[in-house]
Amino acid sequence: MVGFEYAKKSDNASNKNNLLSDAVINLDHGDPTAFEEYWRKMGDRCTVVIKGWELMSYFSDVNKVCWFMEPELENAIRGLHAAVGNAATEERYIVVGTGSTQLCQAAVHSLSSLRPCGTHPVSVVAAAPYYSTYVEETTYVRSEMYRWGGDARRYEKEEGPYIELVTSPNNPDGTMREEVVKRPQGKVIYDLAYYWPHFTPITHRPHHDIMLFTFSKLSGHAGSRIGWALVKDKEVAKKMVEYIMVNSIGVSKESQMRAAKVLNVMTETCRSHSDSFFLYGRDKMKNRWDKLREVVEQQSDDIFTLPKYPEAFCNFFGKPIGSYPAFAWLAIGCHEESDLGSLLMKQKVLTRSGNRCGSDKNHVRASMLCRDDVFSLFLHRLASITIPATDSLH
Ligand code: PMP
């Protein structure tokens, strides 16, 4: 399992505070440590105290479909979406998960198990370039109910039941996405992990049947392992809850309470000029993207290219803004069929190769969410790359 091997490699400089100038920097995973500074400045506002006798039960509210979800978390999720305007929560069940990784698997399980007998396996597809973890999530347990079906654009011409995973803004390339297969027997799971105003303009309020969000990429609290799904259909939500029950008998209450606290602070401060997380996050991401684009543009011979994102009116900020995605989808411009991942590795920069995302080795995905010192080193190493005209990178 490639994904897990990469995880092991993460015990490098990007996880330590004293960065050695010759250390390999890991931009392969998207560990969202970039926002630590903001939360540190918030001091005790997000401190949660849990007494020894509290939160001991498996249960939170047995009258709810998602009986292991703390009411405080549900209220905090609904409150934040209402304040930001990035998803419809009315007439929807909320299912909490151990990260949206668990919820994505729960949703795939739910949708495929609700299909009539004899219509399995269901193909799970996503338009390339896609989030490479979807491949692992749909193949690892070798389910008989679903199987990874690859690039959704290639699947368009095929018959049969399918589930399309739509990531918007997309991981790895930051583009806004819609479903591509569009057949009546298909189901769609919208992964909206990055549909927040520090990454992208909030142009509309999606109201899809299944929408996934994660605490990890919203605030940077990946270690809490909290995600949530907004689900229209009660049966689908119940099956997802059943999956989570079999898988982990619910979700850590301590994590839920911490997430509730942090989400509430985000809601309270979201209109503040001095304390707003989204203002801080947007400025931080914009600053990083401006610097990265500067380095790429200063390179002679257009060695690298980055996608360009159109400005759009953001309903949250009330003005047109650009997109500043969580990952840079970097391409090597002047050498066709070059292995950009290997080239960057020679400079001690570990990235995720495009071929793991259903694309090619000319592309890599590099995290934009690392700590400041790692990001500076990344820019420095990128700027120092030169490719002689005769050099072959194959
Ligand atoms: N979906 C997408 C598109 C992601 O990029 C990520 C995190 N890399 C996840 C889901 C998983 O997030 P979590 O930490 O909540 O499992």
Side-chain angles (χ1 to χ4, degrees):
M1 292 300 299
V2 226
F4 303 151
E5 281 166 24
Y6 276 105
K8 279 184 224 147
K9 283 189 204 164
S10 72
D11 183 27
N12 71 7
S14 72
N15 289 338
K16 294 179 182 160
N17 289 330
N18 300 327
L19 193 60
L20 300 171
S21 60
D22 65 345
V24 171
I25 54 173
N26 191 336
L27 303 180
D28 168 49
H29 54 51
D31 197 21
T33 44
F35 307 129
E36 262 173 12
E37 181 201 21
Y38 172 88
W39 295 109
R40 197 168 284 133
K41 279 191 188 149
M42 293 307 271
D44 267 346
R45 284 178 77 169
C46 295
T47 302
V48 179
V49 178
I50 300 168
K51 302 203 175 72
W53 48 269
E54 287 176 324
L55 306 176
M56 290 175 67
S57 169
Y58 283 118
F59 303 97
S60 296
D61 183 346
V62 287
N63 299 313
K64 286 273 169 75
V65 166
C66 189
W67 49 265
F68 46 79
M69 179 167 57
E70 288 295 300
E72 286 87 345
L73 179 60
E74 170 160 14
N75 293 338
I77 290 169
R78 290 187 191 277
L80 185 61
H81 282 301
V84 174
N86 65 336
T89 56
E90 62 277 7
E91 291 166 30
R92 274 161 179 81
Y93 299 91
I94 299 186
V95 181
V96 64
T98 299
S100 79
T101 301
Q102 188 183 42
L103 287 164
C104 185
Q105 292 167 71
V108 167
H109 166 85
S110 170
L111 292 175
S112 46
S113 67
L114 288 170
R115 286 201 55 83
C117 285
T119 59
H120 299 102
V122 176
S123 293
V124 184
V125 298
Y130 43 70
Y131 173 41
S132 59
T133 304
Y134 293 149
V135 184
E136 289 142 20
E137 286 175 13
T138 52
T139 53
Y140 191 68
V141 297
R142 300 182 197 187
S143 168
E144 289 176 359
M145 286 197 301
Y146 55 82
R147 64 170 173 221
W148 173 244
D151 185 359
R153 288 197 192 86
R154 275 197 224 138
Y155 191 78
E156 263 178 291
K157 292 169 203 84
E158 286 185 36
E159 298 287 310
Y162 70 94
I163 297 168
E164 182 174 345
L165 297 168
V166 178
T167 318
S168 186
N170 192 34
N171 171 355
D173 67 359
T175 54
M176 294 306 288
R177 288 278 185 92
E178 285 178 3
E179 59 191 286
V180 303
V181 185
K182 293 185 184 156
R183 268 196 271 117
Q185 67 270 54
K187 296 280 180 198
V188 185
I189 299 169
Y190 276 83
D191 186 338
L192 303 183
Y194 303 97
Y195 192 54
W196 293 101
H198 47 320
F199 296 126
T200 197
I202 303 301
T203 55
H204 65 294
R205 189 167 164 270
H207 51 271
H208 306 293
D209 288 356
I210 306 181
M211 298 181 278
L212 306 182
F213 287 92
T214 164
F215 191 37
S216 308
K217 298 306 164 84
L218 161 60
S219 62
H221 292 85
S224 295
R225 309 303 306 121
I226 291 289
W228 60 93
L230 306 178
V231 185
K232 188 92 190 271
D233 185 287
K234 189 173 188 180
E235 293 314 306
V236 174
K238 276 163 87 175
K239 274 277 170 210
M240 289 176 69
V241 167
E242 198 178 279
Y243 176 94
I244 294 170
M245 190 176 79
V246 173
N247 196 249
S248 54
I249 326 183
V251 174
S252 160
K253 300 273 164 58
E254 285 83 353
S255 287
Q256 292 190 52
M257 294 312 283
R258 184 179 191 206
K261 182 79 171 185
V262 170
L263 298 186
N264 282 337
V265 169
M266 293 176 95
T267 305
E268 283 156 28
T269 56
C270 77
R271 293 285 160 205
S272 152
H273 290 296
S274 52
D275 282 345
S276 161
F277 173 79
F278 294 113
L279 211 50
Y280 167 89
R282 204 263 326 247
D283 287 351
K284 176 138 210 138
M285 297 308 295
K286 181 179 183 318
N287 184 279
R288 286 192 175 190
W289 271 93
D290 288 350
K291 285 184 179 156
L292 178 64
R293 287 195 190 280
E294 211 176 285
V295 167
V296 164
E297 275 156 29
Q298 275 171 8
Q299 284 279 19
S300 55
D301 302 327
D302 296 333
I303 301 178
F304 302 117
T305 56
L306 282 169
K308 292 203 166 53
Y309 305 103
E311 274 206 346
F313 189 86
C314 174
N315 297 333
F316 177 77
F317 284 120
K319 60 180 183 187
I321 59 165
S323 279
Y324 310 106
F327 295 98
W329 185 236
L330 194 64
I332 184 139
C334 60
H335 288 258
E336 275 184 30
E337 290 179 69
S338 302
D339 184 344
L340 180 52
S342 302
L343 175 70
L344 290 170
M345 201 50 207
K346 282 185 200 155
Q347 300 295 321
K348 297 201 158 104
V349 178
L350 180 64
T351 54
R352 186 164 303 184
S353 177
N355 61 347
R356 284 196 49 209
C357 308
S359 178
D360 52 48
K361 289 185 173 182
N362 291 14
H363 288 84
V364 296
R365 188 195 83 162
S367 172
M368 295 290 282
L369 298 180
C370 52
R371 293 194 176 93
D372 287 342
D373 54 352
V374 176
F375 188 70
S376 303
L377 214 46
F378 170 46
L379 294 182
H380 178 74
R381 290 180 186 178
L382 201 61
S384 69
I385 294 178
T386 49
I387 303 181
T390 50
D391 193 3
S392 161
L393 300 165
H394 299 275

